[in-house]
Amino acid sequence: MPKHRLSRKNRYIALAATGAVVVAGAGVAAQTSMAAPAWPAQKTYTGRAFDTCTAPSLTAMSAWKKNGYYGGVAVYVGGKNRGCAQPNLTRSWVKSVDAMGWRVIPLYVGAQPPCQKSRNTERFTAATAVSVGASNAGDAVAKASALGMKPGSPIYLNMESYDITDKACNDATLAYVRSFTKTLRAKTYRAGLYGFSSSSAAAIATAKDRTDLPGNLWYALWNGQETTTKDWPWDPKLYTGHSRGHQYKANSRETRRGHTLTVDLNAWDAPVALVG
């Protein structure tokens, strides 16, 4: 598994440690991406996307685009917990792949929950959740902007598995996510969250208080089903209107036009970066 989050083995260990159960249909109201009239119109993409640890070379991106199977690519724009160096990920790279027709999905590996079992460089606590969330969001905007991702773009916060039945930990995590989201929106960037359907994504989807939660949800459920609807585990009215991504397979080693990458596979129906 690429080191962008956890090894696949460690991610399964973290999942098992949570002991969490997904509750479908928690009676929450639907939430869509924030799109006030003064905001740039969001750019959405519906189709196949992949994410991988290090942004591939432009040569590989060109070859994979010509193959025509994938249309979206997620890139890790920053965060102290980002696991890989990014020698290719520059403003020029983003502009070039956008010109090729790729739809770019910005992902930020922020601080992680205090009860999480994995090793991380940065964590928040109940006392620091709000301040760290705001600081992380400011850094995420700075990193995305430096790469040419304009206001109105989404930034997806990477939140790995933790025990959502641990109320204190879950409350701290929701406080962090709300602070991150509120700060992004204040800077005219849209908010999304990446997480497992049995853990962090479930915490967001089933939260009764929807205040300042991300408007887009990217859920990891490795069931091999390329869909954002048939296996959606929560209220079907939630995250409609091009606001869902589904990571349905991890560690797929694929060769396209002579270029081999190990990627995670996603069905996508959600906002992507505005590049310029």
Side-chain angles (χ1 to χ4, degrees), residues 81 99 169 229:
N81 291 320
C169 186
T229 56

Side-chain angles (χ1 to χ4, degrees), residues 163-212:
D163 183 2
I164 61 175
T165 66
D166 181 331
K167 186 177 185 304
C169 186
N170 195 56
D171 287 349
T173 302
L174 290 175
Y176 167 83
V177 171
R178 287 189 170 101
S179 179
F180 186 94
T181 299
K182 185 176 181 179
T183 304
L184 280 191
R185 290 173 175 168
K187 296 176 180 293
T188 328
Y189 280 76
R190 292 180 165 86
L193 181 132
Y194 164 91
F196 282 89
S197 63
S198 59
S199 182
S200 46
I204 299 302
T206 61
K208 293 182 180 180
D209 179 1
R210 307 303 300 165
T211 305
D212 291 328

Side-chain angles (χ1 to χ4, degrees), residues 208-248:
K208 293 182 180 180
D209 179 1
R210 307 303 300 165
T211 305
D212 291 328
L213 291 182
N216 304 284
L217 190 59
W218 177 5
Y219 63 105
L221 177 58
W222 296 336
N223 58 5
Q225 296 185 34
E226 188 184 315
T227 178
T228 61
T229 56
K230 293 179 180 179
D231 65 352
W232 179 254
W234 306 292
D235 186 334
K237 299 187 298 296
L238 192 65
Y239 292 102
T240 57
H242 306 293
S243 294
R244 299 176 184 175
H246 174 203
Q247 185 184 80
Y248 62 87

Side-chain angles (χ1 to χ4, degrees), residues 110-154:
Q112 299 295 303
C115 62
Q116 193 183 87
K117 302 300 182 183
S118 60
R119 297 178 181 178
N120 290 291
T121 302
E122 184 180 28
R123 292 181 185 269
F124 54 83
T125 65
T128 65
V130 173
S131 61
V132 173
S135 176
N136 278 187
D139 182 57
V141 168
K143 295 294 195 302
S145 178
L147 290 169
M149 301 174 188
K150 300 187 297 184
S153 297

